[in-house]
Amino acid sequence: MTSKRWAPDRRDMIWINCNPQAGRKNFHPLLVLSPKAFNERTGIVIGLPMTTAENNATNPFALRIDRPGKKTSYILVHQPKSFDWRVRDAKPHPLKQAPEDVFALACRALNQIIEIGA
């Protein structure tokens, strides 16, 4: 029996090492925008970084995510990133996936900035 290796998929929340310096680990959550087929084939993942930094409360490009009993999170829609997810040790986030409505809001907010499909 063969098992497929994990690969990030659209709407997944992952942990990824964002530090560009070799030998240093700086893992952050990332909301995946690119589909699994692209991610598997290229080894690249495209996504939006997430943070709990409170200074984003007044950032008009930070999509606020409130979860009962948890710290407020923000999706930074103005900072799309692409990373080699294999080299940067990407792993599934415990929250697994963003809710569909949150993902749709993030995509609409990014589209307002870069106007894809206009």
Side-chain angles (χ1 to χ4, degrees):
M1 181 168 113
T2 59
S3 64
K4 282 196 151 195
R5 289 182 46 180
W6 173 83
D9 198 0
R10 180 174 277 145
R11 243 182 80 215
D12 281 356
M13 294 169 61
I14 64 172
W15 285 110
I16 193 161
N17 182 5
C18 298
N19 197 323
Q21 297 178 2
R24 298 190 65 196
K25 301 278 185 188
N26 191 10
F27 283 88
H28 288 281
L30 185 80
L31 175 60
V32 178
L33 299 174
S34 50
K36 185 174 186 173
F38 172 85
N39 301 336
E40 284 178 321
R41 183 165 182 119
T42 65
I44 301 295
V45 66
I46 301 169
L48 300 173
M50 299 177 68
T51 183
T52 56
E54 293 177 11
N55 63 328
N56 284 292
T58 59
N59 179 348
F61 303 108
L63 178 60
R64 182 184 174 120
I65 308 299
D66 290 311
R67 296 176 293 136
K70 302 287 184 183
K71 197 169 187 180
T72 299
S73 297
Y74 301 91
I75 300 171
L76 304 179
V77 298
H78 64 301
Q79 294 184 26
K81 307 281 186 203
S82 63
F83 293 111
D84 182 323
W85 63 270
R86 293 178 181 127
V87 170
R88 292 185 176 263
D89 299 322
K91 295 178 180 32
H93 191 281
L95 295 177
K96 301 195 188 306
Q97 285 194 324
E100 287 184 33
D101 60 332
V102 169
F103 184 77
L105 280 171
C107 290
R108 278 197 300 275
L110 177 60
N111 195 44
Q112 288 178 344
I113 296 168
I114 60 177
E115 295 185 32
I116 293 175

